[in-house]
Amino acid sequence: MANQQNKFQPPQVSQDPPQNSEETEEGEAESKKKEQEELPPFEIVEGSRIPASSFMFQFKNVEYSSGRNKTLLCYTVERGEGQVFRGYLEDEHVSAHAEEAFFTTVLPQFLTSGKVVVTCYVSSSPCVSCAASIAQCLKRNKTLQLRLVVARLFQWEESEIRGALRALRAGGCQLRMMSGADYSLVWKNFVEPDFNLDEEGKVEEKQDQGNFIPWEDLEENAKYYEEKLAEILR
């Protein structure tokens, strides 16, 4: 599991005694407000395994993704001589998106003069800006072969998004929707079980987490998105 670094700093405690309770409350409120205004945005989280509950929520291929306000990206990088690297990133849609972070800061360290095959499993398709970053990466690296496999289409009704997806395909990106087999593969390689503590405080794995158990309408939703993507890329 990724260990997210906590960037938040504890509030400074004043050493001066308060003059009265009203001034104390006002001072604390002002201090709290100032602290909140100065808090930096969330950082990109990077690791090797996603908590099962997070994966099941964020990767669910529903049409309306209410509450799913972050992007999760699982990647496999294959280089010569059988070298394979895996990991994942997530964001909070506050600063850089996971796709942009991967293609501008993570992937470059794996790129060599030889062929590199990259497969990204993403909870939703990229926005216009991220699609542009991916297209630029493909343009700069002619030996890069990219497969982008997404659970949901992000704002696919918007003309700019549709154009960005077509530009990705034209730039050499293999773009498709996740199927049940893809979910099982990601579950096996990128997801870790959630754990509970028993009455004695010992860690116990939640039941039924050995294999991926699809939700009822997974394949139906995947087919729906496949049709939409085919329409966009036509």
Side-chain angles (χ1 to χ4, degrees):
M1 180 193 287
N3 292 321
Q4 183 178 8
Q5 293 184 345
N6 186 358
K7 293 181 65 181
F8 304 123
Q9 299 296 323
Q12 297 297 318
V13 180
S14 172
Q15 300 300 315
D16 297 325
Q19 295 181 3
N20 56 54
S21 60
E22 261 187 30
E23 290 180 0
T24 301
E25 291 177 0
E26 290 177 2
E28 289 177 351
E30 185 64 26
S31 176
K32 186 175 182 180
K33 180 180 178 182
K34 183 178 180 181
E35 179 192 354
Q36 290 174 340
E37 289 174 348
E38 292 177 351
L39 289 180
F42 288 100
E43 284 189 280
I44 294 293
V45 178
E46 184 177 1
S48 58
R49 292 278 176 173
I50 306 169
S53 55
S54 180
F55 169 79
M56 293 295 286
F57 179 72
Q58 297 294 345
F59 270 86
K60 195 167 186 179
N61 60 352
V62 291
E63 181 177 2
Y64 300 103
S65 55
S66 177
R68 292 168 174 83
N69 60 347
K70 64 171 65 178
T71 299
L72 269 64
L73 182 151
C74 303
Y75 63 86
T76 298
V77 179
E78 301 174 59
R79 296 198 302 187
E81 301 178 356
Q83 292 181 307
V84 179
F85 305 89
R86 292 187 179 92
Y88 92 95
L89 295 88
E90 67 179 78
D91 63 50
E92 295 284 351
H93 278 192
V94 178
S95 53
H97 291 183
E99 303 98 311
E100 183 178 0
F102 175 72
F103 284 95
T104 58
T105 64
V106 177
L107 182 58
Q109 65 185 302
F110 297 113
L111 295 176
T112 63
S113 57
K115 181 180 178 181
V116 178
V117 179
V118 176
T119 304
C120 292
Y121 299 91
V122 195
S123 57
S124 66
S125 58
C127 66
V128 173
S129 176
C130 288
S133 293
I134 297 171
Q136 284 297 318
C137 185
L138 284 167
K139 187 176 181 180
R140 290 192 303 267
N141 301 279
K142 300 301 183 182
T143 59
L144 171 62
Q145 180 181 330
L146 173 64
R147 293 190 290 259
L148 199 61
V149 190
V150 300
R152 301 185 305 275
L153 291 177
F154 172 70
Q155 296 183 356
W156 59 267
E157 304 95 336
E158 301 292 332
S159 59
E160 289 186 348
I161 293 290
R162 297 164 77 93
L165 294 179
R166 286 193 289 268
L168 268 182
R169 202 263 305 266
C173 176
Q174 300 175 31
L175 182 63
R176 64 178 177 84
M177 305 306 303
M178 286 182 69
S179 65
D182 293 312
Y183 277 97
S184 295
L185 185 149
V186 173
W187 181 271
K188 177 182 178 180
N189 292 308
F190 296 97
V191 177
E192 66 178 2
D194 291 331
F195 294 92
N196 285 330
L197 293 179
D198 61 19
E199 294 179 355
E200 298 179 354
K202 296 180 180 179
V203 174
E204 60 179 9
E205 184 176 330
K206 289 185 179 180
Q207 298 298 315
D208 302 324
Q209 290 198 148
N211 298 309
F212 173 69
I213 301 176
W215 45 91
E216 184 178 353
D217 53 356
L218 185 153
E219 294 294 353
E220 181 182 345
N221 292 348
K223 184 177 180 180
Y224 168 83
Y225 274 125
E226 285 172 4
E227 292 173 353
K228 295 300 178 185
L229 180 60
E231 174 190 323
I232 292 169
L233 299 180
R234 189 174 302 150

